[in-house]
Amino acid sequence: MASFNAVIEHLHEVNLVSMLVRFAIALLGGGIIGMSRGKRQHAAGLRTHLLVCIGAASVMMTSLYQAQNLGVPGDAFRMPAQVVSGVGFLGAGTIIVTGRQEVKGLTTAAGLWASACMGLAIGAGFYECMIVGFILIFLCMRILPLIENAVMAKARNMNIYVEMDSVENVGAIVSLI
């Protein structure tokens, strides 16, 4: 029992092992939510949720690292909070709604946000967090689309987009479908 308590205490500190465990939990939680939302054709799917979760974990670990290891006076959480909200506002500028009412740019916005969070880790000298965060963000942006496309190619979903000149044609279109 004493060794279990030592492991738990070690995971509460900011160290490489606890960071890897926290990122793994962020991947699991963000992945489960993102997959379920993506499966239901929501605009923010797997990659978007993973990036936001990884970024948030990175910011929190960076704040903890600052408080525990750097002796930052005052509120160590103020600056990460401002950066996160500021980059969130910037990311919103990359999101557009097309003429076909499709939302585009969410993964870009999440990538900007996660990159800013990784930047906070670098700025704090929390290089281990930055390296793991970079690898995870890169995998989300480059490798997961390949996996996502392979899974979606086997899915049995069909999207139909129909434009009508008037409401009178609805019955004819529904009977054709």
Short mmCIF file of all heavy atoms in Angstrom, two decimals, residues 8-34:
data_model
loop_
_atom_site.label_atom_id
_atom_site.label_comp_id
_atom_site.label_asym_id
_atom_site.label_seq_id
_atom_site.Cartn_x
_atom_site.Cartn_y
_atom_site.Cartn_z
N ILE A 8 1.13 7.33 -6.58
CA ILE A 8 0.11 8.38 -6.70
C ILE A 8 0.72 9.74 -6.40
O ILE A 8 0.47 10.72 -7.11
CB ILE A 8 -1.09 8.09 -5.78
CG1 ILE A 8 -1.80 6.81 -6.21
CG2 ILE A 8 -2.06 9.27 -5.75
CD1 ILE A 8 -2.36 6.86 -7.62
N GLU A 9 1.52 9.82 -5.35
CA GLU A 9 2.17 11.09 -5.01
C GLU A 9 3.10 11.54 -6.13
O GLU A 9 3.17 12.72 -6.45
CB GLU A 9 2.94 10.94 -3.69
CG GLU A 9 3.42 12.26 -3.14
CD GLU A 9 3.97 12.13 -1.73
OE1 GLU A 9 3.36 11.41 -0.93
OE2 GLU A 9 5.01 12.74 -1.48
N HIS A 10 3.82 10.61 -6.72
CA HIS A 10 4.72 10.91 -7.83
C HIS A 10 3.93 11.45 -9.03
O HIS A 10 4.41 12.34 -9.74
CB HIS A 10 5.51 9.65 -8.22
CG HIS A 10 6.58 9.88 -9.22
ND1 HIS A 10 7.71 10.63 -8.94
CD2 HIS A 10 6.72 9.45 -10.50
CE1 HIS A 10 8.49 10.66 -10.01
NE2 HIS A 10 7.91 9.94 -10.97
N LEU A 11 2.74 10.93 -9.26
CA LEU A 11 1.90 11.39 -10.37
C LEU A 11 1.31 12.78 -10.11
O LEU A 11 0.93 13.47 -11.05
CB LEU A 11 0.79 10.39 -10.66
CG LEU A 11 1.24 9.06 -11.27
CD1 LEU A 11 0.04 8.13 -11.43
CD2 LEU A 11 1.95 9.27 -12.59
N HIS A 12 1.21 13.19 -8.85
CA HIS A 12 0.70 14.53 -8.55
C HIS A 12 1.77 15.60 -8.73
O HIS A 12 1.44 16.77 -8.83
CB HIS A 12 0.14 14.58 -7.12
CG HIS A 12 -1.21 13.97 -7.02
ND1 HIS A 12 -1.51 12.97 -6.15
CD2 HIS A 12 -2.35 14.21 -7.70
CE1 HIS A 12 -2.76 12.61 -6.29
NE2 HIS A 12 -3.30 13.35 -7.24
N GLU A 13 3.01 15.21 -8.76
CA GLU A 13 4.09 16.16 -9.01
C GLU A 13 4.18 16.42 -10.51
O GLU A 13 3.62 15.70 -11.32
CB GLU A 13 5.43 15.58 -8.52
CG GLU A 13 5.46 15.31 -7.03
CD GLU A 13 6.70 14.54 -6.62
OE1 GLU A 13 7.53 14.20 -7.49
OE2 GLU A 13 6.83 14.25 -5.42
N VAL A 14 4.89 17.48 -10.86
CA VAL A 14 5.12 17.76 -12.27
C VAL A 14 6.44 17.10 -12.64
O VAL A 14 7.51 17.56 -12.28
CB VAL A 14 5.16 19.27 -12.55
CG1 VAL A 14 5.43 19.53 -14.02
CG2 VAL A 14 3.86 19.93 -12.13
N ASN A 15 6.34 15.96 -13.32
CA ASN A 15 7.51 15.21 -13.77
C ASN A 15 7.14 14.52 -15.08
O ASN A 15 6.00 14.55 -15.51
CB ASN A 15 7.98 14.22 -12.70
CG ASN A 15 6.87 13.28 -12.27
OD1 ASN A 15 6.31 12.57 -13.10
ND2 ASN A 15 6.56 13.28 -10.98
N LEU A 16 8.13 13.89 -15.69
CA LEU A 16 7.91 13.29 -17.00
C LEU A 16 6.86 12.19 -16.96
O LEU A 16 5.98 12.11 -17.83
CB LEU A 16 9.23 12.74 -17.56
CG LEU A 16 9.18 12.18 -18.98
CD1 LEU A 16 8.69 13.22 -19.96
CD2 LEU A 16 10.54 11.66 -19.40
N VAL A 17 6.89 11.35 -15.94
CA VAL A 17 5.93 10.24 -15.86
C VAL A 17 4.51 10.78 -15.68
O VAL A 17 3.59 10.37 -16.37
CB VAL A 17 6.31 9.28 -14.71
CG1 VAL A 17 5.23 8.23 -14.50
CG2 VAL A 17 7.66 8.63 -14.98
N SER A 18 4.34 11.73 -14.75
CA SER A 18 2.99 12.28 -14.53
C SER A 18 2.49 13.02 -15.77
O SER A 18 1.31 12.97 -16.10
CB SER A 18 2.96 13.19 -13.30
OG SER A 18 3.67 14.38 -13.53
N MET A 19 3.41 13.69 -16.47
CA MET A 19 3.03 14.39 -17.68
C MET A 19 2.54 13.41 -18.75
O MET A 19 1.52 13.65 -19.40
CB MET A 19 4.21 15.20 -18.19
CG MET A 19 3.92 16.00 -19.42
SD MET A 19 5.40 16.78 -20.07
CE MET A 19 6.40 15.35 -20.40
N LEU A 20 3.26 12.32 -18.92
CA LEU A 20 2.85 11.32 -19.91
C LEU A 20 1.49 10.71 -19.55
O LEU A 20 0.64 10.50 -20.42
CB LEU A 20 3.91 10.22 -20.03
CG LEU A 20 5.23 10.65 -20.68
CD1 LEU A 20 6.26 9.53 -20.57
CD2 LEU A 20 5.02 11.05 -22.12
N VAL A 21 1.28 10.46 -18.26
CA VAL A 21 -0.01 9.92 -17.82
C VAL A 21 -1.12 10.93 -18.08
O VAL A 21 -2.20 10.58 -18.58
CB VAL A 21 0.05 9.51 -16.33
CG1 VAL A 21 -1.33 9.23 -15.77
CG2 VAL A 21 0.97 8.31 -16.14
N ARG A 22 -0.88 12.19 -17.78
CA ARG A 22 -1.90 13.23 -17.99
C ARG A 22 -2.21 13.41 -19.47
O ARG A 22 -3.37 13.57 -19.86
CB ARG A 22 -1.43 14.55 -17.37
CG ARG A 22 -1.40 14.47 -15.85
CD ARG A 22 -0.76 15.68 -15.24
NE ARG A 22 -0.48 15.42 -13.83
CZ ARG A 22 -0.05 16.34 -12.99
NH1 ARG A 22 0.16 17.57 -13.40
NH2 ARG A 22 0.18 16.02 -11.74
N PHE A 23 -1.17 13.39 -20.31
CA PHE A 23 -1.42 13.49 -21.76
C PHE A 23 -2.19 12.26 -22.26
O PHE A 23 -3.05 12.38 -23.12
CB PHE A 23 -0.11 13.64 -22.54
CG PHE A 23 0.34 15.07 -22.70
CD1 PHE A 23 1.64 15.43 -22.37
CD2 PHE A 23 -0.50 16.04 -23.20
CE1 PHE A 23 2.07 16.73 -22.54
CE2 PHE A 23 -0.08 17.34 -23.36
CZ PHE A 23 1.21 17.69 -23.03
N ALA A 24 -1.88 11.09 -21.71
CA ALA A 24 -2.61 9.88 -22.12
C ALA A 24 -4.09 9.99 -21.75
O ALA A 24 -4.97 9.64 -22.54
CB ALA A 24 -1.98 8.65 -21.48
N ILE A 25 -4.34 10.50 -20.56
CA ILE A 25 -5.74 10.69 -20.13
C ILE A 25 -6.42 11.75 -20.99
O ILE A 25 -7.59 11.60 -21.37
CB ILE A 25 -5.79 11.03 -18.63
CG1 ILE A 25 -5.34 9.82 -17.80
CG2 ILE A 25 -7.20 11.47 -18.22
CD1 ILE A 25 -5.11 10.12 -16.34
N ALA A 26 -5.70 12.82 -21.33
CA ALA A 26 -6.26 13.86 -22.21
C ALA A 26 -6.58 13.28 -23.59
O ALA A 26 -7.62 13.58 -24.17
CB ALA A 26 -5.29 15.03 -22.33
N LEU A 27 -5.69 12.42 -24.10
CA LEU A 27 -5.94 11.79 -25.39
C LEU A 27 -7.17 10.88 -25.31
O LEU A 27 -8.00 10.88 -26.22
CB LEU A 27 -4.74 10.96 -25.82
CG LEU A 27 -3.60 11.71 -26.47
CD1 LEU A 27 -2.39 10.81 -26.67
CD2 LEU A 27 -4.04 12.29 -27.80
N LEU A 28 -7.27 10.13 -24.25
CA LEU A 28 -8.39 9.21 -24.10
C LEU A 28 -9.71 9.98 -24.00
O LEU A 28 -10.66 9.71 -24.75
CB LEU A 28 -8.19 8.33 -22.86
CG LEU A 28 -9.27 7.30 -22.59
CD1 LEU A 28 -9.31 6.26 -23.69
CD2 LEU A 28 -9.03 6.64 -21.24
N GLY A 29 -9.76 10.97 -23.11
CA GLY A 29 -10.99 11.74 -22.95
C GLY A 29 -11.36 12.54 -24.19
O GLY A 29 -12.49 12.49 -24.67
N GLY A 30 -10.39 13.28 -24.72
CA GLY A 30 -10.65 14.07 -25.93
C GLY A 30 -10.99 13.19 -27.12
O GLY A 30 -11.85 13.53 -27.93
N GLY A 31 -10.33 12.02 -27.20
CA GLY A 31 -10.59 11.10 -28.31
C GLY A 31 -11.97 10.51 -28.28
O GLY A 31 -12.66 10.44 -29.30
N ILE A 32 -12.40 10.10 -27.10
CA ILE A 32 -13.74 9.50 -26.98
C ILE A 32 -14.82 10.52 -27.33
O ILE A 32 -15.74 10.25 -28.10
CB ILE A 32 -13.95 8.91 -25.57
CG1 ILE A 32 -13.06 7.68 -25.38
CG2 ILE A 32 -15.41 8.58 -25.33
CD1 ILE A 32 -13.01 7.17 -23.96
N ILE A 33 -14.68 11.72 -26.79
CA ILE A 33 -15.67 12.77 -27.08
C ILE A 33 -15.62 13.14 -28.56
O ILE A 33 -16.65 13.25 -29.23
CB ILE A 33 -15.43 14.01 -26.20
CG1 ILE A 33 -15.71 13.67 -24.75
CG2 ILE A 33 -16.29 15.18 -26.65
CD1 ILE A 33 -15.23 14.72 -23.77
N GLY A 34 -14.42 13.33 -29.09
CA GLY A 34 -14.27 13.73 -30.49
C GLY A 34 -14.79 12.70 -31.46
O GLY A 34 -15.44 13.04 -32.45
#
